[in-house]
Amino acid sequence: QQKRRRYLKREKGVAMKSYNVCIVGGGSTYTLGFLKSFVRLREEFPLKKLVLFDIDAERQEPIGKYGEILFRERFPELDLSYTTDIKEAYEGMDFVFMQMRAGGLPMRAKDEHIPLSMGMIGQETCGAGGMAYGLRSCVDMIKAVHDIRNYAPDAWILNYSNPAAIVAEALRREFPDDKRILNICDQPENVVRSCSRLLGCNWEDLDPVYFGLNHYGWFTHIYDAHTGEDLLPKIRETIAKNGFLPQDAEQRDQSWLDTYGMVQTIMSDFPDYLPNTYDQYYLYPDYKVQHLNPNFTRADEVMAGREKRVFSECAEVIKEGKLGDRFHAISDAHAEMMIKVAEAIAYNKNSRHILIVENNGAIANMQDDAMVEVVCELGINGPRPMRVGNIPQFYLGLLVNQVSSEKLIVDAYYEHSYEKALQAFTLNRLVGDAKKARKVLDALIEANKGMWPELK
C-alpha cells in the first residue's frame, strides 16, 4: 500500500520533498511516540532532519539517546540531534511541533490539587487549574514563537501545547498576521477513533461534523465517508447499551477509562450529539469533584505511570544499545495525527482535520473573534473552516460563557490585571462564585510566583 501511494504521487508529478522538523518539548513522555511514528510514516512524510529541543537537558537526554538507537536501526539516513540551544533548534526548520508544558508535571499537579482542595475542579485545561496553566503557557509560548520567528520565519508552527484554547487566543493577539501558526488538539480525533473501535471500522472511513472550543465540543454527525450514512444513531444506541471505551483502552490509565465512560451518562442526559470527553467537567462539576482524589490527580497518575514506563524503556534500550523487539506496529494516535497535519500542509492534500481557528462565521451565532474548534480542509495555504451554521441555545450558552472566561484570562495576561483574572475565574462555570474565585486565584498566584505575569 505504501509503494502504491509513492507510485501515485510520482505519477501525479508531486515531488516527495523531505523536511526538517523540530519538536519543542523533546523530554516529553509523548516524544517516544513521535520518534516511532516518524519511522512508521517515513514514506508518507519523509524527514531529512529532526531536532529535539528542551530547556531540561537531563530529562531530554535519555529520549535523545533512545532516538539515536531507534533511527540507527530503522531510519539511518535521518539526521537526528537534541539540544538546549534555541538557534540550533530552530534554524532551517520547516515545521516546529510545540508540546511545551510550562512548569512541568509538578506544576500541573498544583493546578489540579489546589482547586480540588477547595472543592472545585482541578484539571489541566478546565476551570481554575486550566487558567493557572494558561497564564504560565502564555508567557512561555509567546516567547517561544518570537524565538522561532527569529530563526525560522517561514516555518509552520503546529501547537498542541495545553491549554490549547487559552494559548490559541494569546497567539491570535500576539501574532495577528502570522498565518503559519496552527493550534490543534488530538482529543476530537481520539473520540472519532474510539467510535471506529465501537463500530468495527477504520477511523479514516468516518467523516465527522464537529463544533465547539478546545476540550469543549460536540459531534453533530459522524458520516460513513463512502456511503454518506449518518452513523451517529448507531453510535448512540451502542453507547447506551455497551458504554464507551478509548480506541487504545488497553494502554490507558484508569482515569482515562473513567473519562470515556462518562460519555454514556452525557448522552443519556443530552442525546442530541456525541460529546467530547472533557464535556463531563462542565456538565457535572459537582459530581466530578466528589469523585476525584485531591491527593492523587491525573498529574500524579502520569508521573507514577506513563512517565516511569517511558523512561524505563529508554533506560533499557540505552543499556542494551539496541531496540530489540520494542518497536511495536500499533499506531500512536497523538503523534500520528500531528504528522498527518504536517503532511496535509507539505503536500497540499486538502484533507480534513479538526483544528482551532478564528471563528469568522464558522459557528454563525458566535462572535467572530472566538477561537473555535471545527472541521477544516487543510493544505499548503492553511485551514479552510467548514461552517456549521447556528448552534442550539443550550450549547451556545455554554460556549459563550467559556469564551468570555478565556478572553478575560488573556486580558489579565496582557494587562497584568488582577481584576480581569478575578472576572475570568468568577465567570468560569467550574468556579462560578466570586468569593471562591478570589480564594483559589490568590492561592494560585502564590503557587505560580515567577511564572505568571505580576497581577496588580
Side-chain angles (χ1 to χ4, degrees):
Q1 192 176 7
Q2 287 181 351
K3 286 181 180 178
R4 175 169 172 75
R5 278 196 291 266
R6 292 202 303 274
Y7 172 78
L8 288 173
K9 285 176 181 175
R10 288 182 186 135
E11 281 293 291
K12 292 177 182 178
V14 179
M16 289 295 288
K17 177 187 172 183
S18 55
Y19 289 91
N20 296 337
V21 171
C22 173
I23 296 180
V24 178
S28 165
T29 56
Y30 287 106
T31 302
L32 239 57
F34 273 98
L35 301 182
K36 294 175 182 180
S37 296
F38 280 128
V39 172
R40 278 196 301 272
L41 300 174
R42 59 190 290 191
E43 301 294 347
E44 289 94 330
F45 186 65
L47 294 186
K48 180 166 57 179
K49 182 178 182 180
L50 176 63
V51 180
L52 308 183
F53 171 70
D54 205 298
I55 59 173
D56 187 337
E58 185 178 352
R59 183 179 173 88
Q60 180 172 245
E61 186 177 10
I63 305 283
K65 287 183 174 179
Y66 181 103
E68 289 173 339
I69 295 166
L70 167 66
F71 292 131
R72 184 176 70 227
E73 293 182 11
R74 295 181 178 262
F75 199 166
E77 64 271 32
L78 175 65
D79 176 5
L80 170 71
S81 61
Y82 51 98
T83 184
T84 58
D85 181 78
I86 291 171
K87 183 175 186 288
E88 187 180 338
Y90 299 145
E91 198 165 56
M93 288 297 114
D94 298 302
F95 291 90
V96 180
F97 288 17
M98 305 289 288
Q99 56 178 24
M100 298 173 65
R101 181 173 289 287
L105 284 166
M107 285 306 299
R108 174 182 176 176
K110 290 186 178 183
D111 295 338
E112 295 172 350
H113 289 202
I114 290 170
L116 274 172
S117 72
M118 300 177 182
M120 289 170 266
I121 290 292
Q123 213 282 327
E124 75 164 324
T125 64
C126 305
M131 287 186 283
Y133 185 18
L135 281 174
R136 291 199 307 275
S137 296
C138 287
V139 175
D140 290 355
M141 279 294 303
I142 287 172
K143 179 188 181 302
V145 173
H146 279 295
D147 289 339
I148 293 166
R149 286 295 175 245
N150 283 337
Y151 295 107
D154 297 323
W156 281 92
I157 299 171
L158 309 184
N159 171 54
Y160 46 100
S161 303
N162 275 331
I166 293 171
V167 169
E169 173 64 20
L171 296 182
R172 181 189 72 83
R173 297 191 200 185
E174 186 76 13
F175 306 97
D177 301 319
D178 194 327
K179 305 306 180 188
R180 293 196 169 204
I181 300 174
L182 278 186
N183 296 283
I184 314 159
C185 176
D186 64 351
Q187 193 55 24
E189 183 170 306
N190 283 330
V191 174
V192 173
R193 288 178 181 239
S194 300
C195 287
S196 74
R197 172 182 175 137
L198 181 145
L199 294 167
C201 66
N202 190 316
W203 69 272
E204 292 179 300
D205 293 329
L206 300 178
D207 179 18
V209 179
Y210 182 84
F211 73 85
L213 311 175
N214 178 240
H215 283 187
Y216 201 3
W218 291 266
F219 293 87
T220 62
H221 306 279
I222 296 184
Y223 294 111
D224 182 312
H226 304 290
T227 67
E229 178 190 359
D230 188 358
L231 300 172
L232 191 57
K234 188 182 297 184
I235 292 168
R236 183 186 295 112
E237 182 182 342
T238 307
I239 289 173
K241 201 177 295 182
N242 302 322
F244 196 51
L245 287 170
Q247 56 98 20
D248 52 353
E250 293 73 20
Q251 304 166 55
R252 292 284 188 141
D253 292 322
Q254 185 59 46
S255 70
W256 276 110
L257 300 180
D258 295 341
T259 292
Y260 276 78
M262 281 294 292
V263 169
Q264 186 182 49
T265 299
I266 297 171
M267 292 198 78
S268 173
D269 288 337
F270 307 102
D272 289 344
Y273 304 140
L274 174 68
N276 189 310
T277 56
Y278 282 78
D279 293 356
Q280 63 174 330
Y281 298 111
Y282 297 100
L283 297 174
Y284 308 100
D286 292 345
Y287 174 86
K288 292 304 298 183
V289 166
Q290 292 166 14
H291 288 79
L292 292 172
N293 182 351
N295 300 312
F296 192 83
T297 63
R298 190 171 283 169
D300 301 296
E301 189 177 60
V302 169
M303 289 186 277
R306 188 177 72 228
E307 190 169 51
K308 285 188 176 178
R309 291 194 299 269
V310 165
F311 286 103
S312 292
E313 182 177 345
C314 287
E316 291 169 8
V317 167
I318 292 165
K319 182 179 178 181
E320 294 177 19
K322 62 181 181 180
L323 197 66
D325 60 357
R326 294 180 183 86
F327 186 85
H328 306 296
I330 59 173
S331 66
D332 182 295
H334 171 76
E336 188 174 291
M337 176 191 145
M338 296 303 305
I339 295 169
K340 288 295 182 183
V341 165
E343 182 187 341
I345 296 167
Y347 302 114
N348 199 28
K349 295 184 72 174
N350 290 314
S351 48
R352 292 182 180 181
H353 302 268
I354 298 175
L355 306 173
I356 303 166
V357 294
E358 195 167 15
N359 185 32
N360 290 326
I363 301 174
N365 50 346
M366 278 189 69
Q367 64 197 77
D368 282 344
D369 65 353
M371 295 301 288
V372 300
E373 198 168 51
V374 292
V375 178
C376 302
E377 289 186 346
L378 181 62
I380 199 166
N381 294 311
R384 291 196 294 264
M386 303 181 73
R387 296 172 182 261
V388 296
N390 290 331
I391 59 174
Q393 195 70 47
F394 174 67
Y395 303 96
L396 178 65
L398 291 170
L399 296 186
V400 168
N401 173 268
Q402 183 65 13
V403 164
S404 300
S405 177
E406 289 167 357
K407 284 187 174 293
L408 284 165
I409 203 67
V410 177
D411 286 348
Y413 166 80
Y414 276 107
E415 299 170 25
H416 291 231
S417 169
Y418 180 94
E419 182 181 354
K420 287 291 180 69
L422 181 61
Q423 290 175 357
F425 275 66
T426 301
L427 188 62
N428 193 281
R429 182 173 167 80
L430 303 187
V431 180
D433 176 273
K435 288 191 180 296
K436 289 166 62 178
R438 187 179 292 276
K439 183 179 178 183
V440 72
L441 174 58
D442 289 347
L444 289 167
I445 287 173
E446 185 66 26
N448 284 274
K449 276 186 176 175
M451 288 179 280
W452 279 10
E454 186 179 354
L455 303 181
K456 302 173 183 176

